[in-house]
Amino acid sequence: LNMKAGKMALDGCDHKTAYSYLGVALSLLPNDHWSSHYDLSLRLYFLKSSAANSICQYYEAELFLRMTLEKARCLDDQLPSYLLLSQILQAQGKVNDVYDSCSNILTELGESIPVTYTLSESSEMLEETLKMYE
């Protein structure tokens, strides 16, 4: 019920209320919630992070996101948290941390970012990327 109220408050841009409801929802989870209620934990932690971010509680948002990233079972479950974490770090001017985070994700996906490249290599990469969208 608290999660539903928190989600409704977030959707209605009442971020402080959402933050409060989601905090109560999290406090009601059992100690083993990541194993016994994985999907619920994943959703609640992300919503709480979103609410914390919206009321400029960046430290807490980052803590919840990092816990989610640690406990998530697969990359698909991590991606929304990585995106929000990157946005939070960017807003704080931590561009090196954003770069490191994005580089790690790309590495997990089997991609890499070249350290240096020429203009012609850049053009080739762009053409290859555009072909993927055809």
Side-chain angles (χ1 to χ4, degrees):
L1 202 56
N2 284 293
M3 184 175 88
K4 186 175 181 178
K7 175 75 170 103
M8 288 176 63
L10 260 181
D11 291 343
C13 296
D14 188 356
H15 301 118
K16 285 186 179 182
T17 300
Y19 181 82
S20 178
Y21 277 121
L22 294 165
V24 171
L26 282 168
S27 73
L28 297 172
L29 290 174
N31 290 336
D32 69 339
H33 63 90
W34 280 107
S35 57
S36 63
H37 300 286
Y38 175 77
D39 290 333
L40 178 63
S41 299
L42 195 64
R43 185 162 171 76
L44 269 174
Y45 269 62
F46 184 78
L47 290 171
K48 179 73 172 187
S49 299
S50 296
N53 178 49
S54 296
I55 60 170
C56 302
Q57 296 292 324
Y58 301 122
Y59 179 76
E60 186 170 352
E62 187 175 337
L63 280 178
F64 277 96
L65 289 169
R66 292 201 184 279
M67 175 63 72
T68 303
L69 292 169
E70 179 184 316
K71 298 292 186 176
R73 295 178 182 160
C74 64
L75 187 58
D76 281 347
D77 290 347
Q78 292 175 324
L79 286 176
S81 295
Y82 272 126
L83 176 61
L84 183 56
L85 180 59
S86 293
Q87 292 169 342
I88 290 168
L89 294 172
Q90 177 68 31
Q92 296 177 72
K94 298 178 180 178
V95 291
N96 289 336
D97 292 341
V98 174
Y99 178 83
D100 291 343
S101 179
C102 292
S103 294
N104 291 337
I105 296 164
L106 287 171
T107 300
E108 282 190 52
L109 292 169
E111 299 292 331
S112 63
I113 300 173
V115 177
T116 60
Y117 56 90
T118 64
L119 185 56
S120 65
E121 289 171 328
S122 176
S123 297
E124 289 174 20
M125 284 188 271
L126 179 59
E127 286 178 30
E128 288 176 26
T129 302
L130 291 174
K131 285 180 185 177
M132 290 183 206
Y133 287 102
E134 291 177 351

